[in-house]
Amino acid sequence: ILMLGEGQEGIKGFTPRELEQRELGVQGIQKKGDVLQYTPISAHKHYILIDQISQESLDRLLHNGYKPAVVLKSAPDRFQAIITIPKLETPFDDQVGHWLTLFLNKTYEDPERKYIGAIYPHVAPGSVVRLHENSNNVEGSHVATLIKAECCECAKTQDLAAEILQELQSKQDLSVP
C-alpha cells in the first residue's frame, strides 16, 4: 500500500517526485501480480472512499448531489468513489472524516460489507484485481478501470462535514462542567 501525500500525524506519504523515483519498484510489485493500492493522505484534505458500490448506488450518489473526484470500476459490478473535501482545521477533523466515511458507506455501499475508516487503500487503476481468494487465472480477475478523475471538491459533503462538526462541538459543550 502506497501512502500518497505530504503525510499526517506520523504517517509518511510519498510526494509525486518520490513516487517517480520509486517507479521501477512500483512496477515490480504490479508485475508480480500483487494488487497495487494507494491511500491519499493530507493534513488539509479528507479523501473519503465509498467502497463496493453498485451501479445503482453510484447513480443514486450522483443524483443526490455528491460529486466524487474519482470513480473506479474495481470489479465487474462494483465501483469505488472518492470524494475530496478540505478539512475544517479543527481538533475534530479525524472524527469528522470518520463519521463522513461511515455515513456515506452505510448509505451507498454494499450493506453486507463491514464499514471502513477514513484512511483506507484504494485500488490503483490498471491493477489486476483477483475476484476470488487465491485465484491466479485470468477469468477470476478484473483490471481496475478509471471511470472519472477530476480535481474537485464536493460541496454537499463539505456541508455535511460542517453539520457533523457542529454536532460534535455541541456534545463536547454538554460534557464540559
Side-chain angles (χ1 to χ4, degrees):
I1 297 173
L2 300 170
M3 302 298 249
L4 305 179
E6 74 262 16
Q8 73 180 57
E9 294 185 30
I11 300 173
K12 165 70 172 103
F14 292 107
T15 66
R17 183 158 171 71
E18 290 172 323
L19 191 58
E20 280 178 12
Q21 293 169 348
R22 290 169 175 79
E23 184 175 0
L24 290 176
V26 171
Q27 289 175 354
I29 292 169
Q30 199 167 13
K31 283 179 183 173
K32 285 191 325 188
D34 292 334
V35 175
L36 188 57
Q37 296 180 317
Y38 68 97
T39 300
I41 56 175
S42 171
H44 305 289
K45 291 187 183 229
H46 288 295
Y47 298 97
I48 306 297
L49 171 67
I50 309 167
D51 199 13
Q52 296 294 325
I53 56 178
S54 65
Q55 181 69 59
E56 286 177 37
S57 291
L58 178 60
D59 292 344
R60 193 165 41 94
L61 177 83
L62 298 171
H63 177 77
N64 289 344
Y66 291 98
K67 187 174 182 180
V70 175
V71 175
L72 294 163
K73 189 169 189 178
S74 54
D77 58 349
R78 293 288 177 217
F79 298 86
Q80 291 181 328
I82 304 165
I83 293 177
T84 304
I85 62 166
K87 290 183 178 178
L88 300 170
E89 306 293 334
T90 75
F92 294 99
D93 278 340
D94 287 345
Q95 289 175 283
V96 169
H98 178 74
W99 283 107
L100 285 169
T101 301
L102 288 176
F103 172 78
L104 290 168
N105 278 280
K106 186 175 181 182
T107 304
Y108 294 101
E109 81 168 346
D110 179 352
E112 301 298 313
R113 186 167 161 79
K114 301 270 189 247
Y115 300 115
I116 56 178
I119 298 177
Y120 192 79
H122 313 68
V123 65
S127 288
V128 176
V129 179
R130 288 184 190 89
L131 302 177
H132 308 287
E133 291 274 332
N134 303 320
S135 173
N136 286 323
N137 79 36
V138 175
E139 293 157 7
S141 62
H142 171 81
V143 176
T145 307
L146 182 64
I147 304 297
K148 173 193 174 193
E150 178 182 354
C151 184
C152 66
E153 294 175 346
C154 178
K156 183 164 182 157
T157 306
Q158 187 65 34
D159 291 344
L160 183 56
E163 289 175 28
I164 292 168
L165 175 62
Q166 188 174 30
E167 188 172 317
L168 289 169
Q169 288 173 329
S170 68
K171 285 181 181 177
Q172 183 187 33
D173 291 345
L174 291 175
S175 66
V176 175

